[in-house]
């Protein structure tokens, strides 16, 4: 049984919490795309953690945590994360790394920095984790798979020389930065080899067997639909595919094995970095209030600490976000945060050149879209601790049901706090 937990918005929807919750009953948790450029925040009995690379199953002793082939693997960051959680008292997790996963090379991080510097004001707001240069190299077929670390010294150096010659031309003539040394890079790779050696295996075969044995496998997505390289707000997207369909590619299982797709949707919107964001709150005082109250300790990047851009719930973007994911269930998160508001605007359409649409458009048109709002009454109380749907205040249920109707996907889980058990299960009329 394979389930995917993915984001229906711009990321930071609370996927970490939902995965951590579901991971308690999962045999295997898999990261299938992205790198250390975004983080999940998880709060459990061991404390509060920001995981960037590790799958969220690492807090359960018996869960196998897999880094799939689709991941951009920063090996030192992965190792630091393992050490950090163990230092905080978490039992040493079981980890497997796909031999086909590719490595973030030290020069990927440098190129990310140099390119942002070169673009200056026109930059993509990259986290400078090397993700875009990494995926560029992967698809240009000059990346390094983990298994390459077991090549002979001669073969690996020859491959490095072929790649580095091209990198050094750019470094010298475009960026005017120090050149890459082949021997030094080789030595770094040998250190990486030592670090990953205990964990490397044929993940796709392992998963095939696990599925045949009836194990529960959770695929854990990073970011959300609107940051998907194909279906998001291109070019202000991430360099990988954030949709559940890629979950099959990113760890080597059959696509039809993914039976449940849980799209995590936040009860309001937030986004990081540049890019179109139609329901953004432009009144800074209003945005700041929501930002400070948002999430667990405010809406600030888990990796970068950057303040997130804040917005009202966007039914147009979320309907599209859920559709592209192939949603079977929506987990509606961080609803408790909205309890302070007298009334809550919800974006129900986009006005593009005087015509209102509920279909999420391509970037060219998105740039012109103005939000059309409907305002719902707030519930003005704290809903933390409530366990039954019927016990939620009426206006709170109306908010959920209004959004469910607009997006057209069943909201079956409502998260009303950061902890594992802050969850309300609901029978949806759409299911
Ligand atoms: P992810 O990358 O999608 O996991 O998102 P983040 O790490 O940014 O998680 C969102 C933040 O909200 C984290 O600090 C979570 O602990 C917190 N969080 C998740 N669900 C809830 C919720 O229902 N209520 C509150 N108040 N915080 C939540």
């Amino acid at each position: 049984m394979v389930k995917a937990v993915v984001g229906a918005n711009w990321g930071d929807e609370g996927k970490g919490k939902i995965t951590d919750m579901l991971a308690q009953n999962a045999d295997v948790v898999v990261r299938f795309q992205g790198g250390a450029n975004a983080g999940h925040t998880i709060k459990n009995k061991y404390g509060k953690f920001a995981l960037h690379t590790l799958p969220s199953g690492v807090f359960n002793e018996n869960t196998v945590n897999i880094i799939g082939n689709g991941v951009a693997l920063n090996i030192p960051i992965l190792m630091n994360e393992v050490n950090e959680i163990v230092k905080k008292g978490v039992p040493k997790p079981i980890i497997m790394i796909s031999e086909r996963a590719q490595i973030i090379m030290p020069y990927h991080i440098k190129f990310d920095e140099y390119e942002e510097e070169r673009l200056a004001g026109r930059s993509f707001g990259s986290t400078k984790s090397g993700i875009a240069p990494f995926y560029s190299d992967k698809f240009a077929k000059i990346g390094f798979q983990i298994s390459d670390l077991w090549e002979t010294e001669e073969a690996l150096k020859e491959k490095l020389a072929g790649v580095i010659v091209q990198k050094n031309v750019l470094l010298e003539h475009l960026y005017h930065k120090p050149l890459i040394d082949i021997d030094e890079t080789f030595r770094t790779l040998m250190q990486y080899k030592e670090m990953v050696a205990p964990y490397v295996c044929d993940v796709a075969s392992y998963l095939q067997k696990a599925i045949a044995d009836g194990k529960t496998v959770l695929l854990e997505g990073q970011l959300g639909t609107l940051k998907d390289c194909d279906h998001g707000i291109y070019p202000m997207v991430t360099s990988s595919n954030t949709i559940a369909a890629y979950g099959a590619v990113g760890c080597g299982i059959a696509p039809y094995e993914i039976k449940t797709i849980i799209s995590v949707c936040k009860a309001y919107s937030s986004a990081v970095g540049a890019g179109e964001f139609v329901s953004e709150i432009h009144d800074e005082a209003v945005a700041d209030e929501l930002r400070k109250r948002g999430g667990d300790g405010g809406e600030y990047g888990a990796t970068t600490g950057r303040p997130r851009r804040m917005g009202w719930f966007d039914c147009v973007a979320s309907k599209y976000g859920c559709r592209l994911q192939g949603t079977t269930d929506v987990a509606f998160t961080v609803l408790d945060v909205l309890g302070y508001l007298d009334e809550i605007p919800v974006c129900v359409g986009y006005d593009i050149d005087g015509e209102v649409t509920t279909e999420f458009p391509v970037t060219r048109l998105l740039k012109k879209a103005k939000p059309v709002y409907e305002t719902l009454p707030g519930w003005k109380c704290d809903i933390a601790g409530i366990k039954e749907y019927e016990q939620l205040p009426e206006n709170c249920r109306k908010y959920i049901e209004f959004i469910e109707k607009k997006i057209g996907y069943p909201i079956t889980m409502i998260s009303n706090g950061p902890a594992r058990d802050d969850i309300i299960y609901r029978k949806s009329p759409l299911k």
Side-chain angles (χ1 to χ4, degrees):
M1 171 62 166
V2 183
K3 297 182 189 178
V5 179
V6 286
N9 306 133
W10 297 262
D12 308 317
E13 300 95 344
K15 293 176 297 295
K17 177 232 157 113
I18 300 294
T19 321
D20 178 58
M21 191 183 94
L22 297 171
Q24 290 173 274
N25 301 313
D27 300 299
V28 185
V29 180
V30 184
R31 281 284 314 264
F32 60 87
Q33 45 81 222
N37 52 333
H40 289 313
T41 314
I42 293 174
K43 201 171 181 176
N44 58 26
K45 66 177 179 191
Y46 298 106
K48 189 173 170 181
F49 299 87
L51 299 184
H52 305 288
T53 295
L54 280 175
S56 303
V58 289
F59 302 104
N60 304 309
E61 268 176 82
N62 301 320
T63 303
V64 174
N65 294 279
I66 290 186
I67 304 288
N69 55 275
V71 169
L73 185 59
N74 183 317
I75 294 171
I77 288 189
L78 177 78
M79 295 303 143
N80 278 341
E81 267 182 34
V82 175
N83 292 338
E84 283 295 311
I85 66 165
V86 170
K87 234 193 287 173
K88 285 188 180 167
V90 179
K92 200 161 194 292
I94 309 168
I95 295 170
M96 289 183 183
I97 300 174
S98 166
E99 58 196 358
R100 291 178 185 273
Q102 295 205 8
I103 304 165
I104 295 242
M105 303 289 278
Y107 53 75
H108 288 142
I109 297 164
K110 293 277 182 220
F111 273 93
D112 209 349
E113 275 170 28
Y114 299 159
E115 182 61 6
E116 285 283 297
E117 197 179 305
R118 188 182 74 85
L119 291 171
R122 295 168 296 128
S123 80
F124 288 92
S126 161
T127 57
K128 304 188 185 86
S129 316
I131 307 297
F134 166 93
Y135 281 107
S136 307
D137 279 4
K138 175 171 173 174
F139 292 106
K141 295 167 287 189
I142 52 170
F144 288 81
Q145 290 192 334
I146 292 280
S147 61
D148 289 334
L149 298 173
W150 277 265
E151 283 282 14
T152 61
E153 177 169 347
E154 194 191 359
L156 190 52
K157 280 191 172 165
E158 193 182 315
K159 182 168 175 184
L160 276 173
V163 176
I164 286 174
V165 69
Q166 175 191 359
K167 303 282 173 209
N168 279 345
V169 171
L170 288 174
L171 287 172
E172 187 174 351
H173 298 287
L174 181 66
Y175 297 114
H176 313 292
K177 298 286 184 188
L179 304 191
I180 305 165
D181 181 72
I182 296 170
D183 290 324
E184 194 188 325
T185 311
F186 176 78
R187 283 194 295 275
T188 304
L189 289 184
M190 289 304 100
Q191 287 165 3
Y192 287 179
K193 180 180 175 181
E194 210 171 295
M195 292 179 201
V196 294
Y199 310 109
V200 178
C201 68
D202 177 354
V203 155
S205 296
Y206 174 82
L207 284 171
Q208 189 201 15
K209 184 161 185 315
I211 294 167
D213 290 347
K215 299 261 165 76
T216 302
V217 178
L218 261 194
L219 306 180
E220 177 177 25
Q222 181 217 34
L223 293 165
T225 311
L226 304 164
K227 290 284 184 184
D228 183 272
C229 197
D230 286 77
H231 299 285
I233 51 170
Y234 192 86
M236 296 304 181
V237 291
T238 196
S239 303
S240 65
N241 291 102
T242 59
I243 59 173
Y246 191 76
V249 179
C251 65
I253 61 169
Y256 54 74
E257 297 291 359
I258 308 175
K259 307 287 189 219
T260 302
I261 299 175
I262 300 165
S263 290
V264 185
C265 243
K266 192 151 69 178
Y268 53 89
S269 301
S270 73
V272 281
E276 308 314 319
F277 185 19
V278 178
S279 66
E280 182 163 16
I281 303 169
H282 294 290
D283 180 327
E284 201 32 54
V286 177
D288 207 43
E289 174 90 54
L290 183 55
R291 182 181 300 117
K292 282 196 189 117
R293 290 172 177 269
D296 178 31
E299 290 285 356
Y300 304 93
T303 304
T304 57
R306 286 193 287 197
R308 292 174 182 152
R309 295 162 69 195
M310 305 304 298
W312 301 118
F313 189 85
D314 183 338
C315 296
V316 180
S318 300
K319 179 177 77 165
Y320 174 82
C322 287
R323 175 161 65 85
L324 268 292
Q325 292 291 5
T327 304
T328 61
D329 295 82
V330 174
F332 197 55
T333 56
V334 210
L335 186 60
D336 49 307
V337 160
L338 300 182
Y340 74 100
L341 290 160
D342 293 325
E343 32 184 44
I344 313 172
V346 176
C347 174
V348 293
Y350 290 174
D351 181 329
I352 301 173
D353 293 334
E355 272 195 39
V356 175
T357 180
T358 58
E359 298 302 319
F360 192 79
V362 291
T363 310
R364 179 180 70 82
L365 297 172
L366 195 58
K367 286 189 206 297
K368 301 200 236 176
K370 294 184 188 68
V372 176
Y373 287 114
E374 271 188 47
T375 300
L376 303 194
W379 46 92
K380 298 294 287 178
C381 66
D382 187 4
I383 60 163
I386 294 180
K387 299 278 174 222
E388 302 291 334
Y389 185 69
E390 293 310 320
Q391 283 165 15
L392 286 172
E394 188 185 356
N395 283 348
C396 182
R397 279 183 277 130
K398 280 189 172 156
Y399 184 76
I400 296 165
E401 287 158 27
F402 177 87
I403 284 171
E404 177 177 73
K405 216 164 169 185
K406 291 284 178 200
I407 64 175
Y409 290 90
I411 298 178
T412 60
M413 282 168 258
I414 294 139
S415 173
N416 59 339
R420 256 183 201 177
D421 52 357
D422 294 327
I423 196 83
I424 301 168
Y425 292 98
R426 165 176 182 260
K427 191 151 175 37
S428 161
L430 299 186
K431 216 174 171 184

